[in-house]
Amino acid sequence: ATFMKFLVLRLIFSASLIALAMWGIVCNQLNAARMRITLFITITGLFSLSSYTLLPDGSDNAIMLGYSFLPLLIMALMTIVPLTLLEGVTYLILITTFFITTHLLVGSLFTFNTLSQLWLLLLLGAIALWVEITQLHMLMRLYREATRDTLTGLVNRRILSAKIEEELALNSMQENNLCVLLFDLDLFKRINDNHGHHTGDLVLQAFAGILQEHSQGDIVAGRSGGEEFLSILPRCNVEAAIQLAEKIRVACHEVTVYSNDNEEVNFTTSIGVAQHKPNESAQDFLIRVDEGLYQAKAAGRDFVSVAD
């Protein structure tokens, strides 16, 4: 009878893990991943608890030892998942709660072996927390290096392109206004030639700071290449986009950069503005705002021009 109960319990446990794995294939969202980890710990904890309660008194110590390793195994598996400190502590508490509850039910919590296992479990949990946080920091650093322009700290061209595609997809469903601003620092090559590339880098960083100051809410600003920058303005009409462009243009007049020779260097920007048209592709949208920028430069630079 005990054998059949264990057989059924193991079949249920295996089927639950298979179902959990299949769910992971079809759903890759962050909240779903957290829920899968919680369910994995819960399913394994319940299996361990049920197995202990099914074992008859006087069971083989080797069998008991095998089941006692389950919480330690779960804790060790947690080291492969990059988690925040809060998430790691939450899962550690959940695993420890199952361990304590199991041994309370079978009346073995305050034995020397169980307390030794509890100490080992908490020690392994502390190591797992350190490994999880280290992995998370490494992944965040790699993500930042892959998505950010190293000089200005703004998002790079790849992220800008992905963001535009994302906003256009939302636009097609919700019919929200979407505008973009394309910036080009005027006569930037002259700054590099006259004052050196280090000063040119300081100008780029100063302009990036201006963009960050004016990128409130869900506005995304990034460096699209060289001395060109792009701002994506979701849920923004062309009138509001023009106002923001003018504020940024004027803000450039108020910033001064100093060269290595302590010489004052001022800069201006030309800005193209475009509002997305229905059924317009991302490529056509960017071509049109580029035409707006060309018009601004043709008008004498330090100018805002709206693309037709």
Side-chain angles (χ1 to χ4, degrees):
T2 302
F3 173 78
M4 290 303 299
K5 290 179 181 178
F6 266 100
L7 179 62
V8 172
L9 181 62
R10 290 176 179 179
L11 288 174
I12 294 173
F13 176 63
S14 300
S16 300
L17 292 183
I18 292 172
L20 196 60
M22 294 301 294
W23 180 29
I25 294 174
V26 298
C27 185
N28 57 3
Q29 296 182 354
L30 182 59
N31 288 335
R34 293 193 183 104
M35 181 60 69
R36 287 197 298 272
I37 295 174
T38 303
L39 287 175
F40 171 73
I41 294 173
T42 303
I43 291 170
T44 310
L46 289 174
F47 173 71
S48 177
L49 189 152
S50 303
S51 299
Y52 260 90
T53 56
L54 285 177
L55 286 171
D57 294 336
S59 298
D60 192 329
N61 287 335
I63 298 176
M64 299 290 291
L65 184 63
Y67 284 103
S68 69
F69 276 122
L70 273 176
L72 301 176
L73 177 61
I74 300 172
M75 194 67 76
L77 288 174
M78 295 304 295
T79 60
I80 67 175
V81 184
L83 300 171
T84 64
L85 179 61
L86 178 60
E87 291 169 341
V89 169
T90 301
Y91 294 135
L92 172 59
I93 292 173
L94 183 60
I95 295 170
T96 306
T97 300
F98 272 113
F99 179 87
I100 293 174
T101 302
T102 298
H103 287 279
L104 272 176
L105 290 176
V106 298
S108 61
L109 178 61
F110 298 105
T111 63
F112 176 79
N113 286 338
T114 302
L115 292 177
S116 297
Q117 290 176 14
L118 179 59
W119 175 85
L120 182 59
L121 180 68
L122 294 175
L123 177 63
L124 187 59
I127 296 172
L129 283 176
W130 178 78
V131 174
E132 290 161 2
I133 296 171
T134 302
Q135 288 187 84
L136 183 61
H137 286 174
M138 290 178 62
L139 286 175
M140 290 176 64
R141 180 177 177 181
L142 290 173
Y143 176 80
R144 183 175 180 83
E145 290 177 353
T147 59
R148 296 278 173 173
D149 174 60
T150 55
L151 178 64
T152 63
L154 300 176
V155 297
N156 58 24
R157 187 185 187 93
R158 185 169 67 88
I159 297 302
L160 289 171
S161 298
K163 181 64 176 177
I164 288 179
E165 294 287 356
E166 177 186 333
E167 290 298 333
L168 290 184
L170 291 173
N171 226 29
S172 63
M173 293 185 294
Q174 302 176 2
E175 297 183 355
N176 293 322
N177 291 326
L178 174 66
C179 288
V180 292
L181 307 178
L182 183 60
F183 308 88
D184 184 85
L185 296 181
D186 298 324
L187 304 174
F188 184 72
K189 185 177 183 300
R190 184 180 298 177
I191 294 175
N192 279 333
D193 292 342
N194 294 343
H195 304 284
H197 288 277
H198 175 69
T199 303
D201 289 345
L202 294 178
V203 170
L204 292 172
Q205 291 172 339
F207 184 71
I210 293 173
L211 286 186
Q212 288 176 325
E213 290 176 6
H214 291 82
S215 296
Q216 305 299 325
D218 50 5
I219 296 176
V220 176
R223 185 182 180 190
S224 58
E227 65 270 22
E228 286 195 354
F229 296 78
L230 186 76
S231 283
I232 303 170
L233 285 58
R235 290 167 290 282
C236 179
N237 57 37
V238 68
E239 291 79 12
I242 294 171
Q243 291 179 6
L244 178 60
E246 285 290 350
K247 288 180 181 179
I248 294 172
R249 186 187 67 81
V250 173
C252 292
H253 298 173
E254 301 169 357
V255 175
T256 299
V257 172
Y258 292 90
S259 68
N260 291 335
D261 299 328
N262 207 31
E263 184 178 355
E264 292 187 359
V265 179
N266 300 105
F267 61 91
T268 60
T269 181
S270 299
I271 309 171
V273 182
Q275 181 172 343
H276 182 251
K277 295 180 179 180
N279 302 319
E280 186 177 33
S281 68
Q283 182 179 0
D284 291 340
F285 189 26
L286 292 175
I287 289 175
R288 197 157 52 83
V289 73
D290 190 57
E291 292 172 352
L293 175 60
Y294 178 80
Q295 294 168 10
K297 295 171 73 173
R301 300 186 178 87
D302 191 18
F303 194 76
V304 175
S305 179
V306 181
D308 295 334

